[in-house]
Amino acid sequence: MSILVVGSVAYDDVTSPSGSMKGILGGAATYFSLAASYFTQVRVVAVVGHDFGPEQEKVFHQHGIDTRGIERASGKTFRWGGTYSDNLNEAKTDFTDLNVFEKFHPQIPKEYRDTKFLFLANIQPTLQANVKREMKHVQLTGCDTMNYWIKGTPKELAETLKVVDVLLINDSEAKMLAHETNLPRAAQKVLAMGPQALVIKHGEYGATIFFREGAFGIGRHPFRAPALPMEEVKDPTGAGDSFAGGFMGYIASQKEVNREVLKRALFYGSVMGSFAVERFGTERLQSLTRAEVDTRFQIFRELTHLS
Amino acid sequence: MSILVVGSVAYDDVTSPSGSMKGILGGAATYFSLAASYFTQVRVVAVVGHDFGPEQEKVFHQHGIDTRGIERASGKTFRWGGTYSDNLNEAKTDFTDLNVFEKFHPQIPKEYRDTKFLFLANIQPTLQANVKREMKHVQLTGCDTMNYWIKGTPKELAETLKVVDVLLINDSEAKMLAHETNLPRAAQKVLAMGPQALVIKHGEYGATIFFREGAFGIGRHPFRAPALPMEEVKDPTGAGDSFAGGFMGYIASQKEVNREVLKRALFYGSVMGSFAVERFGTERLQSLTRAEVDTRFQIFRELTHLS
């Protein structure tokens, strides 16, 4: 089944210990849709400026991604610059030029309105909730957010959390959102805010999914997917969005949402996140095959599998 | 088969967000031997002062631990005080009174000399190497160390690493030892220093074992054991030593050391570490049953197990 992602398309300037790249195609919706495209048909709602041309659009089209929801506004595309030093888990933001993204008001094309799976990438929470409300046929909604909204717009975020099914955030975001330093307790507090399930991404340590009691007709026992210890991390940008793309894309490709599907989805999320960081920008996500994806899935599975 | 641990027995004053306890039995050898006692017969070499009496000795004897190697020196037993704030992964040391531990020169009782498994808890590296050299019948030696020795006595530590089989350290110690911030690359550098296998403990995220090419007749693919996300962490002291006790104790209980045994050992290490932190000091490790240990082993296994 199709999945719709609403979020940013951007140009990134990235510096890491492996080098420096300027003006590479990025943005949450870009990473998400490329990662999800290995599992299902993807539709994008985003905004770009006059500097987004056929060459960039081709990256989406080569993966069968529907770009009719990418709005062209007058002005420049969102630009972000960041530097990773030895701690590859955290970028120092060098600049953020929101440009056309500043006035982004997601417009859902008529042709997208039957979409059954929705991912609300990291944008202002009220915009997220509005999109959810417009999408009447959605069966499962995933959602991302960040420290900026957790601190800056807690009330708006609380409203959004009431209408989403799965929230995907990282350790520090979960702790900040719950005002709780113990991760499983933080998870229970976040689940009490609305979502059926909470995926907490641990970077190089993988991710854990926590469930509300009775969510998806399954118990509340958490499940954890490990990540592969990576020798080569060139550019961590987009790892979380690629994780979300693998996770949500796999779910959208399945007939039903049950515990086993969610567990496998967590592994596929880890897999896509691990590919994303191997090259600068979306380079690795552009060149994958489904066979490579499944080979790494098996490696991740073996990584913790006792016979 | 028996396992010998050489390390500290201490009294700890611990403060954590869950409360405060003074003068509780601790020390690396104590945590290690209690954890290992659920798998195999344990022998201890340590030093204590006049303040170590029958009540403390009983804790060991109730678990069938052989204490003939615990030397009574004149003076006080090693005392350590530490405080955990919200970040339970790191203690602030309030005081360290080495007392009789300052002049600890491990004396191996005659009756211990046939021991086949050896664990060198965190003591001065040359003392560790000397013990290893004395123990002529040892088949497998595990070893711990810490930042203090990595920085302060790198040459001595390098000599020790040449004569041990498995090194067990945490993420930051591995990175410091290898002068390398990428964990898998750090692991390869540490393995090049001598050990056949390296266990890197990730705290609440579990642990990874890295192998030298051809070590134990098996490939070099790493294996990871997750930890259970814990809602209740009362006192993290001794988690690493309890991990080592579960890991080494399980290995010592098996007929041979192969990849599957080492994988299961990693899970048992995670299991014993997770029990240790549930109560202050060694309280939880004292009261376990093997059935509880195996139940948690199954929970950990299920935590990442795809059907």
Side-chain angles (χ1 to χ4, degrees):
Chain A
M1 297 249 227
S2 294
I3 186 164
L4 168 62
V5 55
V6 181
S8 61
V9 169
Y11 289 115
D12 294 340
D13 291 0
V14 176
T15 299
S16 85
S18 304
S20 217
M21 296 275 281
K22 275 188 193 298
I24 47 177
L25 185 63
T30 308
Y31 281 101
F32 180 94
S33 55
L34 285 170
S37 73
Y38 291 92
F39 303 93
T40 194
Q41 211 275 320
V42 185
R43 296 163 169 178
V44 189
V45 164
V47 63
V48 294
H50 56 69
D51 50 358
F52 182 90
E55 200 190 325
Q56 284 76 34
E57 196 145 9
K58 201 174 144 193
V59 171
F60 291 86
H61 290 168
Q62 279 175 335
H63 289 80
I65 298 162
D66 187 333
T67 58
R68 285 176 293 179
I70 300 185
E71 177 197 344
R72 266 75 176 168
S74 72
K76 279 185 161 184
T77 300
F78 179 20
R79 296 189 83 100
W80 175 80
T83 299
Y84 300 89
S85 52
D86 279 348
N87 174 9
L88 287 164
N89 291 318
E90 213 169 342
K92 186 177 74 61
T93 292
D94 297 322
F95 64 86
T96 306
D97 296 340
L98 290 175
N99 300 327
V100 297
F101 193 61
E102 192 168 5
K103 306 221 154 149
F104 179 41
H105 278 274
Q107 304 295 323
I108 317 293
K110 232 181 25 258
E111 303 87 345
Y112 284 10
R113 291 184 180 265
D114 62 344
T115 317
K116 299 280 193 294
F117 294 87
L118 172 62
F119 185 69
L120 304 163
N122 172 35
I123 59 174
Q124 198 276 340
T126 304
L127 296 181
Q128 292 178 315
N130 290 344
V131 169
K132 169 65 168 88
R133 236 169 266 127
E134 275 191 64
M135 299 293 295
K136 305 285 187 198
H137 302 282
V138 160
Q139 290 172 1
L140 188 104
T141 304
C143 180
D144 186 14
T145 191
M146 70 183 294
N147 295 354
Y148 183 79
W149 308 118
I150 295 170
K151 277 189 188 163
T153 60
K155 281 186 190 168
E156 291 84 346
L157 181 58
E159 290 305 308
T160 302
L161 292 181
K162 289 179 190 166
V163 299
V164 302
D165 301 299
V166 185
L167 180 67
L168 294 97
I169 49 181
N170 66 29
D171 288 52
S172 67
E173 289 160 351
K175 290 174 182 179
M176 184 183 285
L177 180 56
H179 303 285
E180 166 63 58
T181 57
N182 174 283
L183 206 60
R185 282 207 299 269
Q188 294 314 315
K189 287 189 182 177
V190 172
L191 290 172
M193 297 175 190
Q196 298 288 300
L198 170 65
V199 172
I200 303 184
K201 297 168 285 179
H202 313 308
E204 62 181 314
Y205 302 114
T208 307
I209 184 164
F210 295 89
F211 302 102
R212 278 178 88 162
E213 190 80 53
F216 309 108
I218 56 186
R220 58 169 274 196
H221 294 296
F223 183 77
R224 187 169 273 188
L228 185 71
M230 303 290 294
E231 289 202 26
E232 194 69 56
V233 176
K234 286 217 163 130
D235 173 12
T237 313
D241 300 309
S242 305
F243 181 101
F247 178 82
M248 293 290 300
Y250 178 75
I251 292 172
S253 75
Q254 298 299 299
K255 288 206 189 87
E256 58 170 324
V257 182
N258 56 38
R259 185 171 169 87
E260 192 63 26
V261 165
L262 289 165
K263 284 161 64 174
R264 286 173 172 265
L266 207 66
F267 271 79
Y268 276 113
S270 273
V271 164
M272 299 314 289
S274 79
F275 278 123
V277 305
E278 288 182 352
R279 301 273 184 284
F280 275 91
T282 58
E283 189 187 331
R284 190 73 183 101
L285 291 186
Q286 288 186 42
S287 66
L288 283 170
T289 64
R290 180 61 193 256
E292 285 178 298
V293 170
D294 284 322
T295 298
R296 186 161 295 180
F297 178 90
Q298 287 305 330
I299 292 170
F300 275 37
R301 183 189 179 136
E302 288 300 311
L303 193 64
T304 58
H305 189 90
L306 295 175
S307 57
Chain B
M1 297 249 227
S2 295
I3 186 163
L4 168 62
V5 55
V6 180
S8 60
V9 169
Y11 289 116
D12 294 340
D13 290 2
V14 176
T15 299
S16 84
S18 304
S20 215
M21 296 276 280
K22 275 188 194 296
I24 46 177
L25 184 63
T30 308
Y31 281 101
F32 180 95
S33 55
L34 284 170
S37 74
Y38 291 92
F39 304 93
T40 194
Q41 212 274 320
V42 185
R43 297 163 169 178
V44 189
V45 164
V47 64
V48 294
H50 55 70
D51 50 358
F52 183 90
E55 201 190 323
Q56 285 75 37
E57 195 145 9
K58 203 174 141 193
V59 171
F60 292 86
H61 289 168
Q62 279 175 335
H63 289 80
I65 298 163
D66 187 333
T67 59
R68 285 177 291 180
I70 300 185
E71 177 195 346
R72 267 75 177 166
S74 71
K76 279 185 159 184
T77 300
F78 178 20
R79 294 189 84 100
W80 175 82
T83 299
Y84 299 89
S85 52
D86 279 349
N87 175 9
L88 287 163
N89 292 318
E90 211 169 343
K92 184 178 75 62
T93 291
D94 297 322
F95 63 87
T96 305
D97 295 340
L98 289 175
N99 299 326
V100 297
F101 193 61
E102 192 167 6
K103 306 220 156 149
F104 180 40
H105 278 275
Q107 304 295 323
I108 317 292
K110 230 179 28 255
E111 303 87 346
Y112 284 11
R113 292 185 180 267
D114 61 345
T115 317
K116 299 279 192 295
F117 294 88
L118 173 64
F119 184 68
L120 304 163
N122 172 36
I123 58 173
Q124 198 276 339
T126 305
L127 296 181
Q128 292 178 316
N130 290 344
V131 169
K132 169 64 168 88
R133 234 168 267 126
E134 275 192 65
M135 299 294 295
K136 305 284 187 200
H137 302 282
V138 160
Q139 290 172 1
L140 188 104
T141 303
C143 180
D144 186 15
T145 191
M146 71 182 293
N147 295 353
Y148 183 79
W149 309 118
I150 295 170
K151 277 188 187 164
T153 59
K155 279 185 191 167
E156 291 84 346
L157 181 58
E159 290 305 309
T160 302
L161 292 181
K162 289 179 190 165
V163 298
V164 302
D165 301 299
V166 185
L167 180 67
L168 293 97
I169 50 181
N170 66 28
D171 288 52
S172 67
E173 290 161 350
K175 289 173 182 180
M176 183 184 284
L177 180 56
H179 303 285
E180 166 64 56
T181 57
N182 174 284
L183 205 61
R185 282 205 300 268
Q188 294 315 315
K189 287 189 182 176
V190 172
L191 290 171
M193 298 175 190
Q196 299 288 300
L198 169 66
V199 173
I200 302 184
K201 297 168 286 179
H202 313 308
E204 61 180 315
Y205 303 114
T208 307
I209 184 164
F210 294 88
F211 302 102
R212 276 179 88 163
E213 189 82 52
F216 308 107
I218 57 186
R220 57 169 275 196
H221 294 295
F223 183 78
R224 185 169 273 189
L228 185 70
M230 302 289 293
E231 289 201 26
E232 195 68 57
V233 177
K234 286 217 164 131
D235 173 11
T237 313
D241 299 309
S242 305
F243 181 103
F247 178 83
M248 292 291 299
Y250 179 74
I251 292 171
S253 76
Q254 298 299 298
K255 289 206 188 88
E256 59 169 323
V257 182
N258 56 39
R259 184 171 170 87
E260 192 64 24
V261 165
L262 289 165
K263 283 161 65 174
R264 287 172 171 267
L266 207 66
F267 270 78
Y268 277 113
S270 273
V271 164
M272 299 315 289
S274 79
F275 278 122
V277 304
E278 287 183 350
R279 301 275 183 282
F280 275 90
T282 57
E283 190 187 330
R284 190 72 184 100
L285 291 186
Q286 288 186 42
S287 67
L288 284 171
T289 64
R290 179 62 193 256
E292 286 179 297
V293 170
D294 284 323
T295 298
R296 186 160 296 180
F297 178 91
Q298 287 304 329
I299 292 171
F300 275 38
R301 182 188 179 139
E302 288 300 312
L303 193 63
T304 58
H305 190 88
L306 295 175
S307 56

